[in-house]
Structures are given as C-alpha cells and as structure tokens.
Amino acid sequence: MEILELATLLGKTIKEDERVQKMQEATKAYESNEALQAQIAEYNAQSAALTEEYRKEQKDQEMIDAIQARIESLYHTIVENPILIAYNSATEAVNALMNEVNSEITFQITGERLCAHDCSSCGGGCGHDHHH
C-alpha cells in the first residue's frame, strides 16, 4: 500500500474515533449557540474598544474602567459556559489523539519516542524517551 493510501485509511479511521465524533458534536453545539456567540462577539468588540481607549492621548479612565468591568464579566460568563467547557475538552482530547498518532509515526521513522504530553507529570515512567 502506498503512503497516501495509508494516510487516507488512517484519516478515515481517526474520523470514526469517538473522540473525534464528540469534538464534532461539541463544535456544532458551540457554533450554533447564538447567546454564546453573541457574548464572544461582544467580548471581542469590548476588547477592541479598550485598545482604542488606551491609544487616545486624553484617556477617559471612567470609560476604561467600565469597559474593563464588562470584559471581566463577559469573560467569566463565557469560560464558565458548559458548552464552551465541553468544546474545549473535546478539542483537547482530539489534539492529544493526534499527538499520539504523530508521535507513533515519528517513532516508526526515527526509532525515538517523543513526548506527546508533559512528562513532568509521569515521573519518567511513561515509557517515553526523556532525552530530547
């Protein structure tokens, strides 16, 4: 089998993995949630407004304080949203899967294991080559 055929098969197999399925579902929920998307859009707009206020020679401290308070409020509302939490978690799981796949491919090519995660948490017992 040619390399690209194997890559196609690997891609299709990864796409069927439950972690990828969960990420696709979480992405749909995240993108289709109008309230969350509106909060993110306002957060970005408020951040841009704050940058503009800071660029002015005559800074309006009351305006800066009001914008910062709104940004902080929006930030907490956004990051505590269960839809965003699920989306981030699902994305991290797929990223970890892809790191494992890439690490295995690299190992098969070079004979060296690279850490696909933070090995400081494993105390060196994860089986990875820690000399990189």
Side-chain angles (χ1 to χ4, degrees):
M1 217 181 257
E2 291 293 317
I3 292 172
L4 291 180
E5 288 178 285
L6 289 166
T8 299
L9 181 60
L10 178 60
K12 287 179 178 178
T13 304
I14 290 170
K15 186 178 181 179
E16 293 170 7
D17 187 275
E18 69 176 18
R19 290 165 282 192
V20 174
Q21 300 293 324
K22 281 185 184 176
M23 187 188 76
Q24 290 174 335
E25 290 167 16
T27 300
K28 276 184 195 169
Y30 166 76
E31 290 175 349
S32 66
N33 188 289
E34 291 178 14
L36 178 58
Q37 292 304 317
Q39 291 165 347
I40 292 169
E42 184 187 348
Y43 177 89
N44 292 335
Q46 293 285 359
S47 296
L50 184 62
T51 300
E52 286 303 310
E53 282 298 320
Y54 275 122
R55 286 187 180 148
K56 292 180 180 176
E57 275 188 43
Q58 299 292 317
K59 292 176 181 49
D60 182 341
Q61 193 58 48
E62 270 187 42
M63 178 67 81
I64 289 171
D65 291 344
I67 294 170
Q68 283 178 327
R70 181 62 181 152
I71 286 172
E72 190 172 318
S73 171
L74 282 165
Y75 175 80
H76 290 295
T77 301
I78 292 166
V79 299
E80 292 167 5
N81 187 308
I83 292 169
L84 182 67
I85 292 168
Y87 170 77
N88 287 337
S89 176
T91 301
E92 286 171 16
V94 170
N95 287 341
L97 170 63
M98 296 308 296
N99 285 338
E100 288 176 37
V101 168
N102 288 330
S103 179
E104 184 61 28
I105 291 170
T106 301
F107 173 66
Q108 294 302 326
I109 294 168
T110 66
E112 291 182 24
R113 287 236 180 253
L114 303 175
C115 294
H117 66 284
D118 177 10
C119 285
S120 64
S121 64
C122 72
C126 66
H128 288 155
D129 177 7
H130 293 90
H131 307 288
H132 59 275

